[in-house]
Amino acid sequence: MNLCWQVSGTQKQMWFQHLNSGGILSPSKKTQTADVITMPYALNKRCDCAWHVCDLGSEEDLLYEDFRGSAHRFGHPGGGGGEQLAINELISDGSVVFAEALWDHVTMDDQELGFKAGDVIEVVDATNKEWWWGRILDSEGWFPASFVRLRVNQDEHMEEYLAQFEEAGAGQEDRAGLGLNLGPGLPCKEQMRSNVINEIMSTERDYIKHLKDICEGYIKQCRKRTDMFTEEQLRTIFGNIEDIYRFQRKFLKGLEKKFNKDQPHLSEIGCCFLEHQTDFQIYSEYCNNHPNACLQLSRLMKLNKYVFFFEACRLLQRMIDISLDGFLLTPVQKICKYPLQLAELLKYTNPQHRDYKDVEAALNAMKNVARLINERKRRLENIDKIAQWQSSIEDWEGEDVLSKSSDLIYSGEMSKLSQPQAKSQQRMFFLFDHQMVYCKKDLLRRDMLYYKGRVDMDQMEVTDVEDGREKDFNVSVKNALKLRSLASDSVHLLCAKKPEQKLRWLRAFADERLQVQHDRETGFSLTEVQKKQAMLNACKNHPAGKPKAVTRPYYDFLLRQKHPSMPSALPQQQVFMLAEPKRKTSTFWHNIGRLTPFKK
């Protein structure tokens, strides 16, 4: 079977120039004058064994083909043309489709429908991909499709919608006017659970097909074109998506074994998530690399030959009409969706169900995975800030901060006494994981710092010192704490200005040890490439001969990255967050931002 499409004469030459070398494009024999290109319907997936990733057996292929249309999916709109078509078919058949608002939508026009997060909206028209027409009680209007999601149990939404309508004082006549036909009764909780189970299985099979399309449709073809792509470029664009593909195949096999096709509500799939909870951490690398992938891809897409090439790859694989950057966003969205699906499953699982405890534990496990991924992403974003900070310090000595550390725990000003002089010195202290750096302020320019030394926190013991005369230094102290080296006789006495500052420092030292232990348990570390790149970027920002000064970190920028703002005009189709919305805000740069040296 062949696939034909018509292009301009110039575009036709570009197609042949970049893809005909692989023998997959040929001019149409039936149209000698028209610019028509014919290509095979798809690649021979089963016979091409040279590619090491394409080892998916026939079992998974048949599973996908058999079950792709077995259950109707309700998820986030805009996932593909098929879902939008299914929604319109339901509406045209007289069914009532409900959506739940994910974010507040402030009305900007008389014809727009305003709502708050959590509101239930009846979808009246979904023919437009970006803007839908909906109804809430007696209000109607357009709203952005990306602000809502269609949940699994539409009947539950109908019940909530009727409850809202009854609170507003509507009667049976108004119900009839809305076209709400409830039927003999609402589904039982077991049916609700079956719907969620079917949703999880269906989306998982779709996701496997999606990953397979990326690996076969894009990566395989890109590797054939060594004149267009280097291995480094492919690694940047696609990250470790091949590893994710292999893992997800294994994960789906486990789900299929636990899935009860005849009675889905009896399925026990919670254990599958618990068994693979550590394996899901491979998404951390992909999520951290995703911004670099988008940047690399945007550079290539400025050249027409890459635009034509990627479009040909999509058509060859018969993938839906979404750009490559949209396909590459799916793994990021997928790892964020697991906690939502498990929360929905737990909601409709009776406490007496054999799967209840496993689902509950799986929900907490996947929340922790998302939290871990978000934390690693934050740490990697901050290493550039640490490198910039170091490059602004005068008279720096020794190894770079990033050689051992990747997180600033706390910072502030204290008086320092060290043996044998026991002379009090005012210093700025910056506590990182594994080490603490202290600097001296410039007497004239208070925005400049001079490096004076560092303390290896892995070899230090922190103790609280009572107010009064200190024995080791034979001086009277107040609000003091002591750092004693475990490897030598070195002792440092630090004094804060206020008691509350001393307590905050004691908590910070405890937090530093917990951070080190957590990194050791989770295996977090920076690669040499990441360290060198961060220092290289910092050196570019501080050319040789240019006066150095400590500048305020980009705290507002970090806040915007953690809490992306929603669009006021066109809807944003690819909005995602890597952690829970109520996650405690990090104080990473907040403490530095308040300090005098960082204010111009």
Side-chain angles (χ1 to χ4, degrees):
M1 180 179 178
N2 290 332
L3 179 67
C4 301
W5 73 99
Q6 188 167 354
V7 297
S8 67
T10 304
Q11 290 175 334
K12 177 181 176 182
Q13 295 302 321
M14 293 294 291
W15 287 113
F16 284 110
Q17 180 181 353
H18 300 296
L19 287 175
N20 198 32
S21 60
I24 56 179
L25 291 180
S26 61
S28 177
K29 297 179 180 179
K30 295 182 180 179
T31 56
Q32 298 296 332
T33 57
D35 289 311
V36 177
I37 294 177
T38 303
M39 67 168 61
Y41 164 77
L43 300 176
N44 189 340
K45 302 183 182 71
R46 298 188 183 278
C47 297
D48 189 354
C49 301
W51 190 45
H52 68 279
V53 175
C54 184
D55 56 332
L56 183 62
S58 59
E59 180 183 355
E60 287 83 356
D61 285 339
L62 292 174
L63 282 175
Y64 174 76
E65 296 298 333
D66 291 342
F67 293 105
R68 179 173 175 81
S70 61
H72 182 72
R73 303 185 307 279
F74 290 94
H76 191 283
E83 289 188 0
Q84 186 178 3
L85 180 61
I87 295 170
N88 287 319
E89 287 179 353
L90 284 175
I91 296 174
S92 61
D93 291 341
S95 301
V96 181
V97 178
F98 291 97
E100 180 184 357
L102 297 175
W103 296 281
D104 296 347
H105 179 230
V106 180
T107 302
M108 305 298 293
D109 187 89
D110 292 340
Q111 291 189 341
E112 290 186 19
L113 181 66
F115 50 75
K116 295 182 178 180
D119 285 352
V120 178
I121 306 161
E122 179 191 358
V123 181
V124 180
D125 182 11
T127 54
N128 186 282
K129 184 179 180 180
E130 296 182 342
W131 289 90
W132 290 357
W133 186 269
R135 178 191 296 130
I136 300 180
L137 302 180
D138 58 346
S139 300
E140 292 188 13
W142 296 104
F143 64 92
S146 60
F147 278 42
V148 301
R149 77 180 182 105
L150 300 170
R151 296 180 62 186
V152 177
N153 297 300
Q154 289 289 309
D155 292 324
E156 181 195 9
H157 282 292
M158 191 177 296
E159 188 179 33
E160 294 177 2
Y161 189 78
L162 286 176
Q164 293 180 6
F165 203 69
E166 287 175 352
E167 289 178 2
Q172 294 295 329
E173 295 181 359
D174 295 319
R175 287 194 188 188
L178 291 174
L180 301 177
N181 300 316
L182 291 179
L186 294 174
C188 61
K189 198 169 185 178
E190 286 75 13
Q191 181 59 47
M192 301 269 193
R193 190 175 198 274
S194 295
N195 291 345
V196 180
I197 291 289
N198 286 329
E199 161 79 2
I200 292 175
M201 299 303 299
S202 177
T203 55
E204 206 63 32
R205 295 173 188 130
D206 286 347
Y207 183 48
I208 287 292
K209 176 61 166 58
H210 180 94
L211 293 175
K212 184 178 181 180
D213 284 343
I214 293 176
C215 292
E216 289 193 359
Y218 286 105
I219 301 180
K220 184 178 181 180
Q221 297 297 328
C222 289
R223 283 188 173 139
K224 292 179 180 179
R225 299 306 305 269
T226 55
D227 59 319
M228 294 178 65
F229 302 96
T230 65
E231 277 299 323
E232 183 180 353
Q233 283 180 315
L234 294 181
R235 182 66 180 176
T236 302
I237 295 173
F238 297 100
N240 63 333
I241 199 168
E242 293 169 319
D243 297 332
I244 293 176
Y245 176 42
R246 284 190 287 266
F247 159 67
Q248 290 292 157
R249 293 205 322 269
K250 181 173 65 174
F251 178 64
L252 178 58
K253 283 184 179 180
L255 287 177
E256 296 288 1
K257 291 179 181 178
K258 297 294 183 179
F259 176 58
N260 189 325
K261 188 193 307 184
D262 299 326
Q263 295 178 299
H265 67 280
L266 297 179
S267 302
E268 301 176 19
I269 65 173
C271 59
C272 298
F273 289 89
L274 294 176
E275 179 183 352
H276 296 284
Q277 58 179 310
T278 56
D279 297 328
F280 280 105
Q281 294 181 12
I282 65 172
Y283 278 86
S284 177
E285 179 182 342
Y286 187 88
C287 294
N288 292 332
N289 178 71
H290 186 260
N292 297 328
C294 294
L295 183 61
Q296 179 70 255
L297 194 59
S298 65
R299 292 171 180 169
L300 295 181
M301 296 300 278
K302 293 178 181 179
L303 303 176
N304 286 336
K305 66 176 183 178
Y306 289 99
V307 176
F308 295 142
F309 178 83
F310 287 131
E311 178 64 8
C313 292
R314 185 186 69 80
L315 292 171
L316 275 171
Q317 195 67 17
R318 297 274 294 180
M319 301 170 73
I320 59 176
D321 188 10
I322 296 179
S323 60
L324 177 56
D325 58 344
F327 286 117
L328 295 179
L329 180 67
T330 306
V332 180
Q333 295 173 322
K334 183 64 177 178
I335 195 64
C336 301
K337 189 175 182 180
Y338 280 126
L340 299 175
Q341 289 180 322
L342 289 171
E344 190 99 346
L345 181 61
L346 184 64
K347 180 179 179 181
Y348 299 114
T349 303
N350 288 318
Q352 295 78 22
H353 197 289
R354 292 174 56 182
D355 199 27
Y356 183 85
K357 290 185 178 180
D358 283 347
V359 172
E360 187 177 37
L363 174 59
N364 292 328
M366 294 309 296
K367 284 182 177 180
N368 289 333
V369 169
R371 195 176 297 114
L372 176 63
I373 292 174
N374 190 66
E375 175 64 17
R376 289 186 175 183
K377 186 174 186 295
R378 181 190 69 84
R379 295 276 290 276
L380 289 178
E381 288 174 347
N382 284 329
I383 64 174
D384 285 333
K385 303 297 182 295
I386 294 177
Q388 292 174 16
W389 170 83
Q390 178 185 318
S391 66
S392 67
I393 304 297
E394 295 287 348
D395 300 337
W396 185 270
E397 296 179 4
E399 59 185 8
D400 296 330
V401 176
L402 293 179
S403 62
K404 296 180 61 176
S405 308
S406 61
D407 199 10
L408 176 64
I409 309 298
Y410 192 64
S411 62
E413 194 170 4
M414 290 189 292
S415 297
K416 173 181 173 295
L417 289 85
S418 299
Q419 294 177 335
Q421 293 88 358
K423 180 181 178 181
S424 177
Q425 297 173 323
Q426 200 72 11
R427 295 287 183 261
M428 280 294 304
F429 289 87
F430 300 89
L431 178 62
F432 299 90
D433 53 311
H434 298 287
Q435 62 183 319
M436 182 169 65
V437 177
Y438 52 94
C439 304
K440 176 185 177 182
K441 291 182 181 180
D442 186 86
L443 295 178
L444 298 179
R445 291 189 58 183
R446 306 297 286 177
D447 61 344
M448 294 185 66
L449 294 175
Y450 294 87
Y451 176 86
K452 288 299 178 182
R454 73 182 80 193
V455 176
D456 184 359
M457 296 308 301
D458 294 332
Q459 302 295 328
M460 285 292 168
E461 180 185 48
V462 182
T463 56
D464 188 6
V465 178
E466 297 182 356
D467 293 348
R469 182 163 293 277
E470 206 284 320
K471 297 181 180 179
D472 292 338
F473 289 83
N474 194 28
V475 293
S476 296
V477 296
K478 190 176 183 180
N479 306 323
L481 51 92
K482 185 188 299 183
L483 302 181
R484 183 183 298 275
S485 175
L486 301 176
S488 64
D489 297 332
S490 175
V491 179
H492 303 278
L493 191 64
L494 308 179
C495 300
K497 293 182 179 180
K498 299 179 181 179
E500 52 268 26
Q501 293 178 351
K502 169 187 172 180
L503 294 177
R504 182 62 188 89
W505 271 107
L506 290 173
R507 289 198 304 270
F509 285 119
D511 292 342
E512 185 270 338
R513 289 292 88 192
L514 291 175
Q515 181 72 71
V516 171
Q517 181 181 355
H518 178 71
D519 290 346
R520 189 180 298 115
E521 293 173 353
T522 59
F524 176 81
S525 62
L526 299 178
T527 65
E528 292 300 321
V529 174
Q530 291 169 336
K531 297 174 186 177
K532 291 180 180 178
Q533 187 61 45
M535 294 307 301
L536 181 62
N537 295 338
C539 292
K540 290 180 180 179
N541 294 332
H542 292 281
K546 183 179 179 180
K548 296 182 180 180
V550 181
T551 57
R552 178 184 174 86
Y554 306 116
Y555 179 59
D556 294 335
F557 170 77
L558 290 177
L559 283 181
R560 288 197 299 271
Q561 292 300 306
K562 293 178 182 179
H563 305 282
S565 59
M566 297 302 300
S568 58
L570 291 177
Q572 184 175 342
Q573 294 291 337
Q574 300 173 353
V575 176
F576 64 94
M577 295 190 67
L578 295 179
E580 300 171 277
K582 296 183 179 180
R583 179 181 179 274
K584 183 179 179 182
T585 304
S586 171
T587 58
F588 182 87
W589 289 109
H590 179 66
N591 301 305
I592 290 185
R594 295 180 301 166
L595 298 176
T596 302
F598 288 88
K599 297 179 180 178
K600 294 183 179 180

